[in-house]
Amino acid sequence: MNDLSTKQVTFTLSATDGMARRGRIDTPRGDIQTPAFMPVGTAGTVKAMYPEQVRETGADILLGNTYHLMLRPGAERVASQGGLHDFMDWQRPILTDSGGFQVMSLAQLRKLTEKGVTFRSHIDGSSYELTPERSIEIQTLLDSDIIMQLDECLKLPAEYKEMERAMELSLRWADRSKTAFNNQRNRALFGIVQGGDNAELRARSAQGLKSIGFDGYAVGGLAVGEPQEVMFKVIEEITPELPTDRPRYLMGVGKPDDILGAIGRGIDMFDCVHPTRAGRHGHVYTRFGVINLKNARHRDDSRPIDEASPNPNCRRWSRAYLHHLVKTEEILGAMILSQINLAYYQELVQGCRGAIEGGRFSDFAAETRAAWAAGDL
Ligand SMILES: CN(C)CCSCc1cc(N)cc2c(=O)[nH]c(N)nc12
């Protein structure tokens, strides 16, 4: 294990093209090229994928999930096994969410107070308390490389007063998170901008986080049921308020079209369960759009997914075979389609990185969308 004690986490912005940004995050466990897509490994595994397969798709970093891991197997148990990297044998960077989002969406009997949130596990009903301080402690026990403040994320639409209350609570929790973080230099702490779909609340949140000071800034409270145009409007309004020399992470986003649009509006990092979950449900992402392999029209189609793809798995099997695997719910179907979807997401962000470097991001985005629209699926 390399010496993680002295190095620190830094961000270098190397090129811009309009609002789109090309950069690199250096961490003690390796570099993250941005714009970056982070596969989700909720319970210490990217479902149906070996860690080395995740790396081979081009991923520099993956996501762990504090809520799930604190319930099972427990943060102290993961720490006693050497931390999450050794536990799952992924030796590159890991980002962990703070757990608040999953508590509000998954746990039972939640009680939110100024101190934090108490809840009962959706697994066995046992009770837990998650505070800003405990969330930092758990993410540090997991030995995560990028950790998130505890925040309150509201679903949209929401009343102004509710959005203001949750934003102001999240700011107070941001301050407590920063104090509890205690300036650890071998990992980064990101603040999370809240404020719903209100520009003034969002600006107040960003201003408050900047005055506390974070290694990166996440845009939370989106991908929570709002239309894409509302999400893009909030991003357009908030990215100019964020420091240019720190990474910007749009949480829980998204489909390829969401990611392309958000990169064009100044976002650097993304995570979403969509590519792996869609793969397990028979939906495969290609350069020409998404194919629902459950559809009977594929059962006699001898064509591969995409014979011109750089991904061998897109050329190796027929659509008829993949349709068969999906219909019979064979495990291999989930494995193959998860790999194809993650590899496509990495191909997309890699294409964005090259286009930004070449000053042709808007052309690249237009060409990509045209291929999705014209696709002979
Ligand atoms: C697997 N991922 C979905 C988990 C990481 S991102 C979870 C997540 C998703 C969304 N959409 C909004 C928020 C938010 O506002 N705050 C936090 N802490 N997490 C969020």
Side-chain angles (χ1 to χ4, degrees):
M1 174 77 77
N2 56 1
D3 173 12
L4 303 181
S5 58
T6 53
K7 296 180 190 171
Q8 59 176 355
V9 179
T10 56
F11 176 65
T12 307
L13 183 63
S14 57
T16 60
D17 184 356
M19 291 282 285
R21 294 153 40 100
R22 171 78 171 92
R24 191 187 74 244
I25 304 169
D26 293 321
T27 83
R29 287 192 170 93
D31 301 345
I32 304 156
Q33 301 296 332
T34 66
F37 179 77
M38 304 182 283
V40 175
T42 297
T45 153
V46 177
K47 291 181 174 27
M49 298 278 288
Y50 280 90
E52 55 272 29
Q53 283 182 298
V54 176
R55 176 59 184 163
E56 282 158 18
T57 65
D60 290 331
I61 176 172
L62 59 80
L63 222 90
N65 205 299
T66 297
Y67 171 77
H68 293 84
L69 291 167
M70 71 183 278
L71 297 187
R72 193 172 49 178
E76 280 73 10
R77 176 161 291 116
V78 173
S80 70
Q81 295 293 324
L84 189 53
H85 296 84
D86 286 354
F87 195 47
M88 66 184 290
D89 194 21
W90 166 270
Q91 299 304 335
R92 287 185 174 271
I94 292 176
L95 181 150
T96 47
D97 193 9
S98 51
F101 182 80
Q102 282 76 25
V103 167
M104 301 315 278
S105 50
L106 292 173
Q108 299 153 1
L109 299 175
R110 294 100 63 204
K111 185 168 181 294
L112 187 70
T113 65
E114 183 68 32
K115 187 169 185 236
V117 54
T118 55
F119 61 95
R120 286 195 178 280
S121 161
H122 72 287
I123 296 168
D124 62 10
S126 50
S127 62
Y128 291 83
E129 179 184 55
L130 193 59
T131 63
E133 294 78 12
R134 176 61 179 155
S135 178
I136 296 293
E137 182 184 33
I138 291 171
Q139 297 177 78
T140 301
L141 283 166
L142 298 176
D143 200 15
S144 176
D145 301 290
I146 300 177
I147 70 177
M148 307 303 294
Q149 70 154 93
L150 185 67
D151 62 325
E152 184 189 357
C153 169
L154 292 183
K155 299 233 174 300
L156 287 178
E159 292 297 319
Y160 177 87
K161 276 291 177 202
E162 259 302 275
M163 294 192 294
E164 184 179 45
R165 179 200 57 73
M167 182 276 285
E168 290 175 341
L169 175 65
S170 296
L171 267 184
R172 294 193 296 274
W173 284 1
D175 200 41
R176 286 168 53 189
S177 301
K178 178 75 181 291
T179 302
F181 180 65
N182 197 22
N183 275 328
Q184 302 176 57
R185 292 322 304 149
N186 60 332
R187 68 184 100 251
L189 173 65
F190 280 22
I192 304 178
V193 179
Q194 290 293 351
D197 56 6
N198 182 283
E200 181 256 334
L201 293 177
R202 286 276 177 182
R204 277 169 50 191
S205 178
Q207 194 49 51
L209 292 176
K210 285 190 290 188
S211 61
I212 297 166
F214 287 93
D215 301 311
Y217 295 83
V219 181
L222 292 176
V224 289
E226 79 284 357
Q228 186 189 62
E229 58 268 19
V230 170
M231 178 175 76
F232 283 166
K233 177 176 175 294
V234 169
I235 295 169
E236 278 161 21
E237 289 164 351
I238 199 62
T239 47
E241 306 285 329
L242 298 176
T244 53
D245 63 348
R246 293 284 188 276
R248 299 143 179 195
Y249 162 31
L250 179 57
M251 304 187 86
V253 175
K255 294 187 177 178
D257 186 46
D258 298 323
I259 290 172
L260 200 55
I263 288 172
R265 291 170 172 84
I267 298 291
D268 305 307
M269 300 163 73
F270 302 86
D271 93 274
C272 194
V273 295
H274 188 70
T276 35
R277 183 175 293 169
R280 296 196 302 278
H281 291 91
H283 293 242
V284 63
Y285 278 86
T286 79
R287 293 179 295 144
F288 308 111
V290 61
I291 304 172
N292 177 359
L293 284 166
K294 283 183 185 154
N295 193 306
R297 68 188 179 91
H298 302 295
R299 66 181 164 202
D300 298 310
D301 192 336
S302 306
R303 293 178 300 163
I305 291 295
D306 176 359
E307 55 203 13
S309 169
N311 180 358
N313 280 350
C314 291
R315 309 191 300 264
R316 180 174 176 185
W317 294 285
S318 69
R319 296 174 188 206
Y321 178 65
L322 296 174
H323 169 74
H324 162 67
L325 292 183
V326 170
K327 293 299 280 184
T328 54
E329 298 183 0
E330 280 295 334
I331 293 167
L332 183 59
M335 293 163 65
I336 294 170
L337 299 188
S338 296
Q339 192 280 339
I340 290 176
N341 286 354
L342 285 179
Y344 176 71
Y345 267 60
Q346 293 301 333
E347 196 182 310
L348 177 65
V349 293
Q350 192 172 355
C352 289
R353 297 196 291 259
I356 295 165
E357 286 165 2
R360 58 180 304 277
F361 177 75
S362 56
D363 289 347
F364 173 82
E367 290 155 12
T368 302
R369 290 198 174 95
W372 289 338
D376 160 28
L377 298 179

